[in-house]
């Protein structure tokens, strides 16, 4: 059963539109830019930008051509089969993590108990969580180039700032994406932990 994907909107942050478009590729298989726009409800220019961004990030790749009728053939895009995403849910007392592959192979969810709640390190916690998830899934941790991070707070994608994260002291409240990228060498996206859990439930349907 395909997951229920909430249509994108022109006003949504780019990250959410990218996530919506990527989920559609998982559910429907290869899609053209125009078909992606139709399924998401985004305008053709916006859908084209989203597909281009996903391709540049390495999440998707061109897979073929389909006849465009009287016009030129349209390029289809699909999720890169070898792409592995690390999913990390950071809590007050524990950190859960797993890895997700494009082919949706089920991998175990691991958990690390926070030993010192008053002396925490964002980069160390995320790296340890990803390494543990990779060991349990028998996956090389170097294959994880993207991390989806869930936090018990609010993240403003426009300013890159975190708020309402009193339960994770020691995490930087500004420049968190740059901080993690520089120390981990991977791309990181951040969402509220409840939203991430909702996305995870759709993934498993």
């Amino acid at each position: 059963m395909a997951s229920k994907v909430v249509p994108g909107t022109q006003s949504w942050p780019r990250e959410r539109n990218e996530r919506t478009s990527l989920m559609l590729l998982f559910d429907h298989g290869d899609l053209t830019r125009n078909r992606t726009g139709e399924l998401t409800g985004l305008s053709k220019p916006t859908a084209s930008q989203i597909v281009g961004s996903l391709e540049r990030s390495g999440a998707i790749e061109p897979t073929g051509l389909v006849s465009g009728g009287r016009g030129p053939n349209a390029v289809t895009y699909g999720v890169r089969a070898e792409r592995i995403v690390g999913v990390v849910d950071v809590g007050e007392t524990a950190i859960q993590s797993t890895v997700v592959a494009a082919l949706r192979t089920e991998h175990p969810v691991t958990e690390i108990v926070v030993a010192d709640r008053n002396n925490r390190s964002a980069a160390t916690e995320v790296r340890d969580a990803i390494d543990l998830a990779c060991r349990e899934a028998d996956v090389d941790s170097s294959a994880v180039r993207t991390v989806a991070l869930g936090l018990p707070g609010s993240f403003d994608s426009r300013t890159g700032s975190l708020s309402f994260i009193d339960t994770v002291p020691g995490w930087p409240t500004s420049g968190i994406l740059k901080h993690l990228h520089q120390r981990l060498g991977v791309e990181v996206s951040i969402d509220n932990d409840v939203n991430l859990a909702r996305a995870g439930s759709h993934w498993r349907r």
Side-chain angles (χ1 to χ4, degrees):
M1 178 180 177
S3 60
K4 181 181 179 181
V5 178
V6 180
T9 70
Q10 313 300 328
S11 61
W12 268 17
R14 185 188 66 187
E15 292 85 353
R16 292 193 178 183
N17 283 328
E18 288 181 355
R19 187 183 305 125
T20 296
S21 299
L22 193 59
M23 290 299 293
L24 285 169
L25 286 167
F26 279 121
D27 288 338
H28 293 268
D30 299 353
L31 298 171
T32 64
R33 292 174 185 250
N34 284 348
R35 184 56 178 155
T36 299
E38 292 172 357
L39 292 171
T40 58
L42 298 170
S43 67
K44 290 182 179 180
T46 300
S48 182
Q49 291 174 1
I50 293 299
V51 171
S53 178
L54 288 171
E55 183 183 9
R56 288 190 296 274
S57 73
I60 67 175
E61 62 185 351
T63 55
L65 296 171
V66 295
S67 174
R70 296 182 179 179
N73 292 339
V75 178
T76 58
Y77 295 86
V79 179
R80 290 178 57 180
E82 78 281 9
R83 187 74 171 187
I84 296 177
V85 178
V87 181
V88 180
D89 183 11
V90 178
E92 180 179 5
T93 60
I95 303 168
Q96 294 185 324
S97 59
T98 189
V99 290
V100 178
L103 299 180
R104 296 196 182 191
T105 303
E106 290 288 337
H107 292 301
V109 176
T110 64
E111 182 174 283
I112 296 175
V113 176
V114 177
D116 186 352
R117 301 181 196 175
N118 296 315
N119 186 25
R120 304 185 62 166
S121 165
T124 299
E125 290 182 2
V126 174
R127 171 51 63 201
D128 288 349
I130 292 299
D131 286 346
L132 178 58
C134 287
R135 286 198 301 271
E136 292 297 317
D138 195 22
V139 169
D140 189 334
S141 60
S142 66
V144 177
R145 306 306 304 164
T146 303
V147 172
L149 181 62
L151 287 169
S154 177
F155 176 67
D156 189 331
S157 61
R158 296 169 299 176
T159 63
S161 61
L162 286 171
S163 55
F164 308 111
I165 59 165
D166 297 341
T167 56
V168 285
W171 279 59
T173 56
S174 63
I176 180 66
L177 291 180
K178 182 179 180 180
H179 172 82
L180 291 174
H181 177 66
Q182 288 179 339
R183 285 159 178 76
L184 303 178
V186 299
E187 296 300 322
V188 180
S189 64
I190 295 178
D191 206 338
N192 177 265
D193 54 354
V194 175
N195 293 336
L196 194 65
R198 185 181 299 116
S201 67
H202 289 327
W203 184 280
R204 289 176 171 80
R205 291 179 185 177

